[in-house]
Amino acid sequence: MAYEKLLNEIYAALSLKYLWKEYKPFFVKSESPDWINATMNLGMEVSQALLPDDGQMESFIEKYLGMPKEQLPPSAKERYGDRLHFYNGRFWAILPDESLPDECIKKAKYRFDKKLEKLNTNYCAQKYNSLYLFLHPTEAENVDVTELFEYMKNKQSVMQEKFHWVFLNCTKVIYVCNFMEDTMEEIVLPQNAETFLNTEAEYLRYSGEWNDGVSLDT
């Protein structure tokens, strides 16, 4: 399910705050990377595994997020149909296209490559750098995260700046790829955790302005 950028950023930070055993407070909003945790000397960029052709979808979400269902343009209903997801009668996200299987890894590799390039050219690198990537797998997809782990490790092996951690959010599980220790572990998201994180992220998204320097814990 594809969400609006800021909502994703807040959800990502919250999920690590409550579920990642390595976490120490606290994340502060930034830009390139999206979050900085001075306690951990950690920068975190947040992104969705989308291809360039998905740009129109991202723009649509940014423009119409939270708008009542009846106010969405007819063209949106024609284009996305049942993929439009509503919460309390308001537009909230776009569901994955079930007719496009095996797209998840392809999109994840593309987005990782772009973020790795950004890390090495236009990014305020910290002592430790991380990427939080929403993969949006369909229910029919069996995501080969081991293949993706090896791809990312090999891809960045020749780069000056590297991601020390990559968090792969596969909806029900967050895979923590630790490239310093060459390990991967799972954070399972029970239904109650998903509900809490979605509700808390939505609340924080609209609770105030998220300018640079605003702490997740304020």
Side-chain angles (χ1 to χ4, degrees):
M1 199 181 294
Y3 291 96
E4 180 245 9
K5 184 177 186 297
L6 180 56
L7 181 64
N8 274 335
E9 292 171 2
I10 295 171
Y11 182 101
L14 281 175
S15 68
L16 298 187
K17 172 184 175 180
Y18 288 110
L19 300 173
W20 186 34
K21 63 183 181 182
E22 304 284 341
Y23 176 80
K24 298 176 184 177
F26 43 80
F27 279 120
V28 172
K29 193 69 186 76
S30 182
E31 186 63 39
S32 295
D34 297 309
W35 296 99
I36 289 178
N37 186 317
T39 308
M40 300 182 68
N41 293 312
L42 174 70
M44 183 170 74
E45 183 78 354
V46 180
S47 187
Q48 303 186 72
L50 301 174
L51 295 173
D53 293 343
D54 297 324
Q56 285 186 322
M57 181 174 68
E58 283 190 289
S59 297
F60 179 85
I61 295 172
E62 297 289 331
K63 184 174 182 179
Y64 294 108
L65 184 77
M67 184 172 288
K69 183 176 183 178
E70 58 274 11
Q71 292 184 20
L72 262 61
S75 59
K77 298 172 185 176
E78 294 174 7
R79 182 181 179 98
Y80 299 112
D82 293 338
R83 293 175 61 200
L84 295 171
H85 177 71
F86 298 90
Y87 178 74
N88 288 339
R90 294 180 178 273
F91 172 62
W92 198 239
I94 296 179
L95 298 170
D97 189 346
E98 299 285 348
S99 68
L100 297 174
D102 304 322
E103 284 286 293
C104 191
I105 291 293
K106 176 182 175 182
K107 292 181 177 183
K109 289 178 178 178
Y110 172 83
R111 188 55 58 187
F112 175 80
D113 289 349
K114 290 298 182 183
K115 292 301 180 180
L116 182 60
E117 178 183 354
K118 181 179 179 181
L119 175 64
N120 281 272
T121 57
N122 184 33
Y123 190 101
C124 183
Q126 308 297 304
K127 181 178 180 180
Y128 301 107
N129 304 301
S130 65
L131 172 65
Y132 191 112
L133 198 57
F134 290 88
L135 268 61
H136 306 305
T138 65
E139 291 187 5
E141 281 184 290
N142 182 20
V143 182
D144 190 343
V145 291
T146 301
E147 175 196 342
L148 188 52
F149 180 92
E150 291 300 322
Y151 174 86
M152 294 187 293
K153 182 173 69 173
N154 293 332
K155 193 74 175 185
Q156 68 177 5
S157 63
V158 296
M159 305 298 285
Q160 180 176 348
E161 297 290 349
K162 300 174 176 61
F163 288 113
H164 301 87
W165 283 287
V166 174
F167 306 94
L168 304 173
N169 187 309
C170 294
T171 308
K172 303 295 183 183
V173 179
I174 300 172
Y175 294 92
V176 181
C177 303
N178 185 332
F179 294 105
M180 294 175 291
E181 299 181 2
D182 197 29
T183 60
M184 182 171 60
E185 56 184 298
E186 299 179 9
I187 299 175
V188 178
L189 287 172
Q191 182 60 47
N192 60 339
E194 283 188 86
T195 302
F196 169 76
L197 290 171
N198 283 322
T199 302
E200 186 72 1
E202 179 186 359
Y203 168 75
L204 291 175
R205 165 65 177 82
Y206 294 104
S207 65
E209 296 294 324
W210 285 90
N211 300 316
D212 289 2
V214 174
S215 170
L216 184 70
D217 292 343
T218 55

